[in-house]
Amino acid sequence: MHTYSILVVEDDTVTQHCLQRFLSEMGHEVAAMVSSARECFERMTDAAPDLVLMDILLDGDTDGREAAARITAEYDVPVIFLTSLSAEEVLDGEGPSAACYIQKPIHKSDLAANIQLAVMNHRMEQRLRQSEKRYRSLFNNAVAGIYQATPDGRVTDANHGFARILGYDSPAEAVDCLRDIAMQYHDAPGRWTQLVRRLETEHELVRVRSGVLGRDGDLIWVSEHLRAIPDDKGGIAFIVGVVVDITEAKEAEENLSVTLNLLHQTIDSLPAPLVLTDMEHNIILHNKPFADHFTRNGSLEGCRLADVLPDAILSQCRRAFETFALAPETPATASSPDAASAVIVSPYKGPQGDLIGALFLFRHGNLL
């Protein structure tokens, strides 16, 4: 049995002596024995008890109920009521601020059991509150947006990251405004219903890309991790979403796609065959004249120059590349012995200015 430091608030001398004897026999320390709420508060800080035994009917301006409410609120210490009142009288009103109550006359076995239960339950509640506080801190301070919603689309909780992504001033505003995700959050009609149906069978969805609407109606692209939290009937109680804003990445992808399409159109418009390779001569990009002239089916995926070029032209490419490799800042040219054809090799550099490949341009009377 655990032993504790206990402060007793009791104005009846007989009961005081009884409690002193019982507590000593149990091995508990009597931190203080007082007879009024005023004395109790004077001793609380110095005594620092694990538990307070409180008589409900005390003389003075403050009775046991009021004292217990203040003790639990200000000192976070559990209180056990000691009373001759009936259960109905103890529980009357707004409810007691005590962990439990013991009716007088006090029996040692009842006192022993209630002390152990009151302190252990209180410490469990403290750990639970600390755990909830840590969770709420992580939830609110997460960089990613996090929200909780019902399957019918009502947002019930959100963190600062979620509010920030959508342009709301606070999580409370986001929760208050988002009453229907299907209409107010997802840009595509039926998107939320589709996701909920998938969650009913898959339970978790990773890296789901969606277009969503900010507070002002602007389109925001997000990547979401969605998880269905089940209820006791096997359905979905609520859905937790972790949201990352990928609007900039989405725009960059679209810009890259436009750029690549423009590049393809540009090089395809050139009459001469052209091919881009890495430094090991693996083909990265080519134009239509190159594919039309050197392949039968137009597919060069996974090919190297040696796979598609005739030996004579391949030999020109190698000679031009060897010259180019000695001075990669300037183009190099290798012509056929009769000067009827030539291969021009130019440097291809990455975004950081480093050499990552070579551009081969083929010049021949029949190819221009």
Side-chain angles (χ1 to χ4, degrees), residues 274-328:
L274 180 146
V275 63
L276 173 66
T277 75
D278 60 20
M279 298 302 286
E280 284 73 42
H281 306 314
N282 297 299
I283 295 175
I284 300 173
L285 183 68
H286 61 84
N287 66 354
K288 189 173 183 300
F290 182 88
D292 291 343
H293 189 81
F294 293 114
T295 65
R296 293 181 179 179
N297 58 11
S299 175
L300 297 174
E301 183 178 354
C303 293
R304 304 178 76 249
L305 286 182
D307 298 328
V308 297
L309 295 179
D311 290 341
I313 296 179
L314 182 62
S315 177
Q316 287 179 253
C317 289
R318 287 171 175 167
R319 287 191 288 114
F321 187 81
E322 289 172 359
T323 303
F324 160 78
L326 296 175

Side-chain angles (χ1 to χ4, degrees), residues 112-297:
N114 278 282
I115 287 173
Q116 296 297 323
L117 289 173
V119 176
M120 286 190 294
N121 287 341
H122 179 72
R123 291 181 177 177
M124 288 179 61
E125 291 173 359
Q126 284 182 318
R127 289 193 290 270
L128 179 60
R129 288 196 301 269
Q130 291 169 357
S131 177
E132 290 176 343
K133 185 177 180 179
R134 287 194 295 269
Y135 163 76
R136 181 55 59 175
S137 176
L138 290 171
F139 178 80
N140 285 329
N141 295 312
V143 175
I146 305 174
Y147 69 91
Q148 178 179 297
T150 59
D152 61 2
R154 181 171 56 86
V155 174
T156 57
D157 200 0
N159 72 344
H160 291 285
F162 183 75
R164 183 185 65 254
I165 289 172
L166 298 185
Y168 291 101
D169 293 332
S170 67
E173 183 186 15
V175 171
D176 185 59
C177 293
L178 291 173
R179 306 294 181 87
D180 186 351
I181 280 184
M183 297 295 293
Q184 298 173 283
Y185 178 68
H186 283 285
D187 180 55
R191 178 63 168 167
W192 178 249
T193 301
Q194 177 191 55
L195 294 174
V196 172
R197 287 176 179 171
R198 288 183 59 188
L199 285 168
E200 289 173 346
T201 56
E202 300 177 45
H203 310 299
E204 188 171 12
L205 303 177
V206 181
R207 291 189 292 276
V208 177
R209 288 192 172 194
S210 300
V212 302
L213 300 174
R215 182 182 66 174
D216 299 327
D218 49 323
L219 180 63
I220 302 167
W221 285 96
V222 298
S223 176
E224 292 185 282
H225 185 139
L226 300 172
R227 173 173 291 183
I229 307 301
D231 58 21
D232 55 3
K233 297 180 180 179
I236 298 177
F238 57 89
I239 296 166
V240 174
V242 180
V243 183
V244 177
D245 186 348
I246 60 167
T247 303
E248 291 186 4
K250 179 73 173 178
E251 291 175 350
E253 288 179 4
E254 293 175 351
N255 291 335
L256 177 61
S257 178
V258 171
T259 301
L260 289 176
N261 287 335
L262 181 60
L263 178 60
H264 278 290
Q265 293 174 17
T266 301
I267 66 173
D268 279 344
S269 67
L270 299 175
L274 180 146
V275 63
L276 173 66
T277 75
D278 60 20
M279 298 302 286
E280 284 73 42
H281 306 314
N282 297 299
I283 295 175
I284 300 173
L285 183 68
H286 61 84
N287 66 354
K288 189 173 183 300
F290 182 88
D292 291 343
H293 189 81
F294 293 114
T295 65
R296 293 181 179 179
N297 58 11

Side-chain angles (χ1 to χ4, degrees), residues 51-73:
L51 174 74
V52 173
L53 296 177
M54 175 74 68
D55 185 11
I56 291 181
L57 301 178
L58 293 172
D59 292 332
D61 296 333
T62 305
D63 67 6
R65 294 179 190 274
E66 295 171 315
R70 180 176 169 184
I71 289 170
T72 55

